[in-house]
């Protein structure tokens, strides 16, 4: 089918960009965070080879030693995953700026990993 293999970082960045383009004021907040969580887990699974898609957020937290991220980046991704878990049950919706801020955090982490690979 002529698809070129994308590395997990580029793939995840593309997914984030597509998600961001798709966010509208009437977007379902829970749905967005389900997707954000899937992007992060998918990345961890394909980049660090941990079974992140099948793991709870706590199990991911406990697998820190297998995930070669700086303390801060790991904490940031984890807090977004925790928030995604809560978003499923959240009554209160967050605004678009909040969501975009999370997308920026994830994007910056992915870019920093990519840059460190080239050094």
């Amino acid at each position: 089918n002529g698809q070129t293999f994308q590395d997990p970082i580029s793939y995840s960045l593309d997914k984030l960009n597509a998600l961001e383009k798709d966010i509208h004021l009437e977007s379902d907040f829970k749905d967005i965070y389900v997707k954000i969580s899937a992007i992060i887990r998918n990345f961890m699974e394909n980049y660090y080879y941990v079974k992140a898609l099948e793991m709870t957020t706590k199990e991911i937290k406990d697998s820190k030693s297998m995930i070669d991220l700086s303390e801060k980046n790991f904490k940031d991704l984890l807090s977004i995953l925790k928030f995604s878990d809560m978003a499923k049950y959240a009554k209160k919706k967050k605004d678009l700026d909040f969501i975009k801020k999370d997308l920026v955090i994830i994007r910056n982490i992915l870019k920093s990993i990519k840059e460190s690979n080239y050094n």
Side-chain angles (χ1 to χ4, degrees):
N1 58 13
Q3 270 191 319
T4 50
F5 174 75
Q6 263 190 317
D7 66 280
I9 296 176
S10 305
Y11 177 80
S12 302
L13 288 168
D14 283 355
K15 286 277 188 214
L16 286 172
N17 293 339
L19 179 64
E20 189 159 29
K21 276 196 203 80
D22 269 353
I23 295 175
H24 313 291
L25 281 165
E26 65 279 359
S27 292
D28 180 30
F29 176 70
K30 293 173 194 177
D31 194 43
I32 292 167
Y33 272 93
V34 166
K35 287 177 181 162
I36 289 173
S37 176
I39 291 169
I40 294 174
R41 289 166 185 275
N42 198 37
F43 167 71
M44 288 178 167
E45 180 132 337
N46 292 313
Y47 194 79
Y48 296 112
Y49 306 108
V50 294
K51 293 243 170 273
L53 288 162
E54 297 162 24
M55 293 161 89
T56 64
T57 303
K58 185 181 182 320
E59 287 169 331
I60 291 174
K61 182 180 186 219
D62 294 340
S63 305
K64 163 96 180 79
S65 60
M66 296 160 68
I67 300 171
D68 182 28
L69 278 168
S70 73
E71 197 64 46
K72 184 187 185 312
N73 286 348
F74 189 70
K75 266 203 187 96
D76 286 349
L77 286 182
L78 211 60
S79 72
I80 294 172
L81 284 177
K82 280 184 193 155
F83 186 81
S84 302
D85 294 343
M86 291 182 340
K88 291 176 203 156
Y89 314 105
K91 302 287 172 266
K92 190 175 171 300
K93 296 213 184 313
K94 293 284 183 194
D95 56 20
L96 286 183
D97 290 341
F98 183 89
I99 297 167
K100 292 207 160 132
K101 203 178 78 220
D102 276 350
L103 294 177
V104 167
I105 290 170
I106 301 167
R107 193 176 284 125
N108 288 343
I109 291 172
L110 291 169
K111 284 179 178 162
S112 73
I113 297 167
K114 197 172 197 169
E115 279 156 21
S116 68
N117 289 346
Y118 294 125
N119 295 335

Coordinates of all heavy atoms in Angstrom, one line a residue, residues 29 33-34 36-37 40-41 44 56-58 60-62 64 67 69-88 94 98-99 101-106 109:
F29 N -14.8 16.5 25.2 CA -13.7 16.6 26.0 C -13.1 15.2 26.4 O -11.9 14.9 26.3 CB -14.1 17.3 27.3 CG -13.0 17.4 28.3 CD1 -11.9 18.2 28.0 CD2 -13.1 16.8 29.5 CE1 -10.9 18.3 29.0 CE2 -12.1 16.9 30.4 CZ -11.0 17.7 30.2
Y33 N -9.4 13.3 25.4 CA -8.4 12.8 26.3 C -8.2 11.3 26.2 O -7.1 10.7 26.4 CB -8.7 13.2 27.8 CG -8.0 14.5 28.0 CD1 -8.7 15.7 27.9 CD2 -6.7 14.5 28.4 CE1 -8.1 16.9 28.0 CE2 -6.0 15.7 28.5 CZ -6.7 16.9 28.4 OH -6.1 18.1 28.6
V34 N -9.2 10.6 25.7 CA -9.1 9.1 25.3 C -8.0 9.0 24.2 O -7.1 8.2 24.3 CB -10.4 8.5 24.9 CG1 -10.2 7.2 24.2 CG2 -11.3 8.3 26.1
I36 N -5.7 11.4 23.4 CA -4.4 11.8 23.9 C -3.7 10.7 24.7 O -2.5 10.4 24.5 CB -4.5 13.1 24.8 CG1 -4.9 14.3 24.0 CG2 -3.3 13.4 25.6 CD1 -5.3 15.5 24.8
S37 N -4.5 10.0 25.5 CA -3.9 8.9 26.3 C -3.4 7.8 25.3 O -2.3 7.2 25.5 CB -5.0 8.4 27.2 OG -4.5 7.2 27.9
I40 N -0.1 8.8 23.8 CA 1.1 8.6 24.7 C 1.4 7.2 24.9 O 2.6 6.7 24.8 CB 0.8 9.3 26.1 CG1 0.6 10.8 25.9 CG2 1.9 9.0 27.1 CD1 0.1 11.5 27.2
R41 N 0.4 6.3 25.1 CA 0.6 4.9 25.4 C 1.2 4.2 24.2 O 2.1 3.4 24.3 CB -0.7 4.2 25.8 CG -1.1 4.7 27.2 CD -2.6 4.3 27.5 NE -3.0 4.8 28.8 CZ -2.8 4.1 29.9 NH1 -2.2 3.0 29.9 NH2 -3.2 4.7 31.1
M44 N 4.8 5.1 23.9 CA 5.7 4.3 24.9 C 5.8 2.9 24.4 O 6.9 2.3 24.6 CB 5.0 4.4 26.3 CG 5.1 5.8 26.9 SD 4.3 5.8 28.5 CE 5.0 7.3 29.2
T56 N -2.2 -0.1 33.3 CA -2.8 1.0 33.9 C -1.8 2.2 34.1 O -0.6 1.9 33.9 CB -3.3 0.7 35.3 OG1 -2.1 0.4 36.1 CG2 -4.3 -0.5 35.3
T57 N -2.3 3.3 34.4 CA -1.3 4.5 34.5 C -0.4 4.2 35.7 O 0.8 4.5 35.6 CB -2.1 5.8 34.8 OG1 -3.0 6.0 33.7 CG2 -1.2 7.0 34.9
K58 N -0.9 3.5 36.7 CA 0.0 3.2 37.8 C 1.1 2.2 37.4 O 2.2 2.3 37.8 CB -0.8 2.6 39.0 CG 0.1 2.3 40.2 CD -0.6 1.8 41.4 CE 0.3 1.6 42.6 NZ 1.6 1.1 42.2
I60 N 2.3 1.9 34.5 CA 3.3 2.7 33.7 C 4.2 3.4 34.6 O 5.5 3.4 34.4 CB 2.6 3.7 32.7 CG1 1.9 2.9 31.6 CG2 3.6 4.6 32.1 CD1 1.0 3.7 30.7
K61 N 3.7 4.0 35.6 CA 4.5 4.7 36.6 C 5.5 3.8 37.3 O 6.7 4.2 37.4 CB 3.6 5.3 37.7 CG 4.3 6.1 38.7 CD 3.4 6.7 39.8 CE 4.1 7.6 40.7 NZ 3.7 7.4 42.1
D62 N 5.1 2.6 37.5 CA 6.0 1.6 38.2 C 7.0 1.1 37.2 O 8.0 0.4 37.6 CB 5.2 0.5 38.8 CG 4.3 0.9 39.9 OD1 4.6 2.0 40.5 OD2 3.3 0.2 40.3
K64 N 8.9 3.0 35.3 CA 9.8 4.1 35.0 C 11.2 3.6 34.6 O 11.7 4.2 33.6 CB 9.8 5.0 36.2 CG 11.0 6.0 36.2 CD 10.6 7.3 35.7 CE 11.7 8.4 35.7 NZ 12.6 8.2 34.5
I67 N 11.5 3.1 30.9 CA 11.2 4.2 30.1 C 12.2 5.3 30.3 O 12.3 5.9 31.3 CB 9.8 4.7 30.4 CG1 8.7 3.6 30.1 CG2 9.4 5.9 29.5 CD1 7.3 3.9 30.6
L69 N 13.1 8.4 30.1 CA 12.7 9.8 30.0 C 13.3 10.5 31.2 O 13.4 9.9 32.3 CB 11.2 9.9 30.0 CG 10.4 9.7 28.7 CD1 9.0 9.5 29.0 CD2 10.7 10.8 27.8
S70 N 13.5 11.8 31.0 CA 13.9 12.6 32.2 C 12.8 12.5 33.2 O 11.7 12.3 32.9 CB 14.2 14.0 31.8 OG 13.0 14.7 31.5
E71 N 13.2 12.8 34.5 CA 12.2 12.8 35.6 C 11.0 13.7 35.2 O 9.9 13.4 35.4 CB 13.0 13.3 36.8 CG 12.2 13.0 38.1 CD 12.1 11.5 38.4 OE1 13.0 10.7 38.3 OE2 10.9 11.1 38.8
K72 N 11.4 14.9 34.8 CA 10.4 15.9 34.5 C 9.4 15.5 33.4 O 8.2 15.6 33.5 CB 11.0 17.3 34.2 CG 9.9 18.4 34.0 CD 10.5 19.7 33.5 CE 9.4 20.7 33.4 NZ 8.2 20.3 32.8
N73 N 10.0 15.0 32.3 CA 9.2 14.6 31.2 C 8.3 13.4 31.5 O 7.1 13.3 31.1 CB 10.1 14.2 29.9 CG 10.7 15.4 29.3 OD1 10.2 16.6 29.6 ND2 11.6 15.3 28.4
F74 N 8.9 12.5 32.3 CA 8.1 11.3 32.7 C 6.9 11.8 33.6 O 5.8 11.4 33.4 CB 9.0 10.3 33.5 CG 8.3 9.0 33.8 CD1 8.0 8.1 32.7 CD2 7.9 8.7 35.1 CE1 7.4 6.9 33.0 CE2 7.3 7.5 35.3 CZ 7.0 6.6 34.3
K75 N 7.2 12.7 34.5 CA 6.1 13.2 35.4 C 5.1 13.9 34.6 O 3.9 13.8 34.9 CB 6.7 14.2 36.4 CG 7.1 13.6 37.7 CD 7.2 14.7 38.8 CE 7.7 14.2 40.1 NZ 9.2 14.5 40.2
D76 N 5.5 14.7 33.6 CA 4.5 15.5 32.8 C 3.6 14.5 32.0 O 2.4 14.7 32.0 CB 5.2 16.4 31.9 CG 5.8 17.6 32.6 OD1 5.5 17.8 33.8 OD2 6.6 18.4 32.0
L77 N 4.2 13.5 31.4 CA 3.4 12.6 30.6 C 2.4 11.8 31.5 O 1.3 11.6 31.2 CB 4.3 11.6 29.8 CG 5.0 12.2 28.6 CD1 5.7 11.1 27.9 CD2 4.0 12.8 27.6
L78 N 3.0 11.4 32.7 CA 2.2 10.7 33.7 C 1.0 11.5 34.2 O -0.1 11.0 34.3 CB 3.1 10.3 34.8 CG 2.7 9.0 35.5 CD1 2.8 7.8 34.5 CD2 3.6 8.7 36.7
S79 N 1.2 12.8 34.4 CA 0.1 13.6 34.9 C -0.9 13.8 33.8 O -2.1 13.9 34.1 CB 0.6 14.9 35.5 OG 1.0 15.8 34.5
I80 N -0.5 13.8 32.6 CA -1.5 13.9 31.5 C -2.3 12.6 31.4 O -3.5 12.6 31.2 CB -0.9 14.3 30.1 CG1 -0.3 15.7 30.2 CG2 -1.9 14.2 29.0 CD1 0.6 16.1 29.0
L81 N -1.6 11.5 31.6 CA -2.3 10.2 31.6 C -3.3 10.1 32.7 O -4.4 9.6 32.6 CB -1.3 9.0 31.7 CG -0.5 8.7 30.4 CD1 0.5 7.6 30.7 CD2 -1.4 8.3 29.3
K82 N -2.8 10.5 33.9 CA -3.7 10.5 35.1 C -5.0 11.4 34.8 O -6.1 11.0 35.1 CB -3.0 11.1 36.3 CG -2.1 10.0 37.0 CD -1.5 10.6 38.2 CE -0.4 9.8 38.7 NZ 0.6 10.5 39.6
F83 N -4.7 12.5 34.2 CA -5.8 13.4 33.9 C -6.7 12.8 32.9 O -8.0 12.9 33.0 CB -5.3 14.8 33.4 CG -6.4 15.7 33.2 CD1 -6.9 16.4 34.3 CD2 -7.0 15.9 32.0 CE1 -8.0 17.3 34.1 CE2 -8.1 16.7 31.8 CZ -8.6 17.4 32.9
S84 N -6.2 12.1 31.9 CA -7.0 11.4 30.9 C -7.9 10.3 31.6 O -9.0 10.2 31.2 CB -6.1 10.7 29.9 OG -5.3 11.6 29.2
D85 N -7.3 9.6 32.6 CA -8.1 8.6 33.3 C -9.3 9.3 34.0 O -10.4 8.8 34.0 CB -7.2 8.0 34.4 CG -6.1 7.1 33.8 OD1 -6.2 6.8 32.6 OD2 -5.2 6.8 34.6
M86 N -9.0 10.5 34.6 CA -10.1 11.2 35.3 C -11.1 11.8 34.3 O -12.3 11.9 34.6 CB -9.5 12.3 36.2 CG -8.7 11.7 37.4 SD -8.1 13.0 38.5 CE -8.0 14.5 37.5
A87 N -10.6 12.2 33.2 CA -11.5 12.8 32.2 C -12.7 12.0 31.8 O -13.7 12.5 31.5 CB -10.7 13.3 31.0
K88 N -12.5 10.7 31.8 CA -13.5 9.7 31.5 C -14.7 9.9 32.4 O -15.9 9.7 32.0 CB -13.1 8.3 31.6 CG -12.0 7.9 30.6 CD -11.6 6.5 30.8 CE -10.2 6.3 30.2 NZ -9.4 5.2 30.8
K94 N -12.8 20.9 30.5 CA -11.7 21.9 30.4 C -11.9 22.7 29.1 O -12.5 22.2 28.2 CB -10.4 21.2 30.5 CG -10.1 20.5 31.8 CD -9.7 21.5 32.8 CE -9.4 20.8 34.1 NZ -9.3 21.6 35.2
F98 N -6.6 24.7 27.7 CA -6.0 23.6 28.6 C -5.6 22.4 27.8 O -4.5 21.9 28.0 CB -7.1 23.2 29.7 CG -6.6 22.2 30.7 CD1 -6.0 22.7 31.8 CD2 -6.8 20.9 30.4 CE1 -5.6 21.7 32.8 CE2 -6.3 19.9 31.3 CZ -5.7 20.4 32.5
I99 N -6.5 22.0 26.9 CA -6.1 20.9 26.1 C -4.9 21.2 25.2 O -4.0 20.4 25.1 CB -7.3 20.5 25.1 CG1 -8.5 20.1 26.0 CG2 -7.0 19.4 24.2 CD1 -9.8 20.0 25.3
K101 N -2.5 23.2 25.8 CA -1.4 23.2 26.6 C -0.8 21.8 26.8 O 0.4 21.6 26.7 CB -1.7 23.9 28.0 CG -0.6 24.5 28.7 CD -1.0 25.1 30.0 CE -1.3 24.1 31.1 NZ -2.4 24.2 31.9
D102 N -1.7 20.9 27.1 CA -1.2 19.5 27.2 C -0.6 19.0 25.9 O 0.4 18.3 25.9 CB -2.4 18.6 27.6 CG -2.6 18.6 29.1 OD1 -1.8 19.1 29.8 OD2 -3.7 18.0 29.6
L103 N -1.2 19.3 24.8 CA -0.7 18.9 23.5 C 0.7 19.5 23.3 O 1.6 18.8 22.7 CB -1.6 19.3 22.3 CG -3.0 18.6 22.3 CD1 -3.8 19.1 21.2 CD2 -2.8 17.1 22.2
V104 N 0.9 20.7 23.7 CA 2.2 21.4 23.5 C 3.3 20.6 24.4 O 4.4 20.4 24.0 CB 2.2 22.9 23.9 CG1 3.5 23.5 24.1 CG2 1.4 23.7 22.9
I105 N 2.9 20.3 25.6 CA 3.8 19.6 26.5 C 4.2 18.2 25.9 O 5.4 17.9 25.8 CB 3.1 19.3 27.9 CG1 2.9 20.6 28.7 CG2 3.9 18.3 28.7 CD1 2.0 20.4 29.9
I106 N 3.2 17.5 25.4 CA 3.6 16.2 24.8 C 4.5 16.4 23.5 O 5.5 15.7 23.4 CB 2.3 15.4 24.3 CG1 1.4 15.2 25.5 CG2 2.7 14.1 23.7 CD1 0.0 14.8 25.1
I109 N 8.0 17.2 24.5 CA 8.7 16.0 25.0 C 9.2 15.2 23.9 O 10.3 14.7 23.8 CB 7.8 15.3 26.0 CG1 7.7 16.1 27.3 CG2 8.5 13.9 26.3 CD1 6.6 15.5 28.3

